[in-house]
Amino acid sequence: MLLDEMIDELRHSLKGKKVVNNCIGVAYTSVMLSDGSLGISHTITEGENSLCGEVFGNDAVSLVESLKNSPIERSVSVAILNSVGNIEGYENGDPIDVLEGNKLCVFGYSPGTVTNRFVSVTIYDFWNPPQRSFDNVTVKPFSSFTSETCDSTVIFGSALVAGNIEKILASISTDHLILSGISSVYAPITLKKYGFDYIGKVIAVDKIKALRVVCEGGLAKHLSRFTKKIYVKL
């Protein structure tokens, strides 16, 4: 699985570090490690956390290896993975702003993708809403997804948490493949192997305040004050 290979790639960066703060908020999950690094992911409240009460003070490597069996566990595991990764040579902004073409495909939870750089945008929403269209955008329930051919495809990192990413990768044909969003993990060797050519991330510019926003139940509009978007071309 992709998540397992990401863990293998980032294992060395996690070695010797412990979780010193962890919050599973209503929208996001945050983890701070013993070296002060902070990771954030989406909260998906499905399943149970088998290590509930044992995350604080635990070894980061053992946690990411154990917390993979449900979306709520992967919320914690992905946040831990997001706390590490030596991102060099990044650009500020969103990778979708440097691409253009005929068709853009997007996968995520109510992804607010607005762009005039593509003739049409097809969004597969993990919330499975009724199909609707507006301007050049068509929103479809993810449950209706079978296959797609697109010029560019954005898969939000929430697909890692939800466990949908393998299905998407197996059924998509695209010229450009982007992993993006708050739950996107910087594991460039693994992602390049799977065909990704861009990684977009949201990183904290004020780690303590970003952590507090998550712990206090903040939403995207609150978290955006203490984070910024970056991207790397692989």
Side-chain angles (χ1 to χ4, degrees), residues 91-155:
E91 300 285 342
N92 291 314
D94 194 317
I96 201 62
D97 293 334
V98 301
L99 296 173
E100 60 185 3
N102 182 47
K103 185 176 183 179
L104 172 68
C105 293
V106 182
F107 296 83
Y109 284 97
S110 303
T113 302
V114 177
T115 177
N116 58 6
R117 299 178 67 87
F118 291 84
V119 176
S120 67
V121 179
T122 299
I123 294 174
Y124 285 95
D125 193 333
F126 295 157
W127 289 119
N128 288 316
Q131 182 168 326
R132 66 187 189 277
S133 298
F134 55 93
D135 299 328
N136 67 332
V137 178
T138 299
V139 179
K140 298 181 179 182
F142 180 69
S143 58
S144 70
F145 171 68
T146 54
S147 64
E148 275 286 3
T149 299
C150 316
D151 293 285
S152 295
T153 299
V154 177
I155 303 176

Side-chain angles (χ1 to χ4, degrees), residues 19 22 49-60 62-63 67 76:
V19 171
N22 170 226
N49 182 355
S50 62
L51 293 179
C52 186
E54 301 177 48
V55 173
F56 178 79
N58 212 327
D59 176 70
S62 64
L63 286 170
L67 297 175
V76 179

Side-chain angles (χ1 to χ4, degrees), residues 72-85:
I72 192 68
E73 288 194 345
R74 290 192 293 270
S75 291
V76 179
S77 185
V78 169
I80 293 171
L81 294 175
N82 270 332
S83 67
V84 297

Side-chain angles (χ1 to χ4, degrees), residues 28-50:
Y28 301 105
T29 293
S30 60
V31 170
M32 181 168 280
L33 299 186
S34 50
D35 66 345
S37 57
L38 179 72
I40 303 174
S41 72
H42 283 90
T43 296
I44 301 180
T45 53
E46 181 182 330
E48 65 176 14
N49 182 355
S50 62

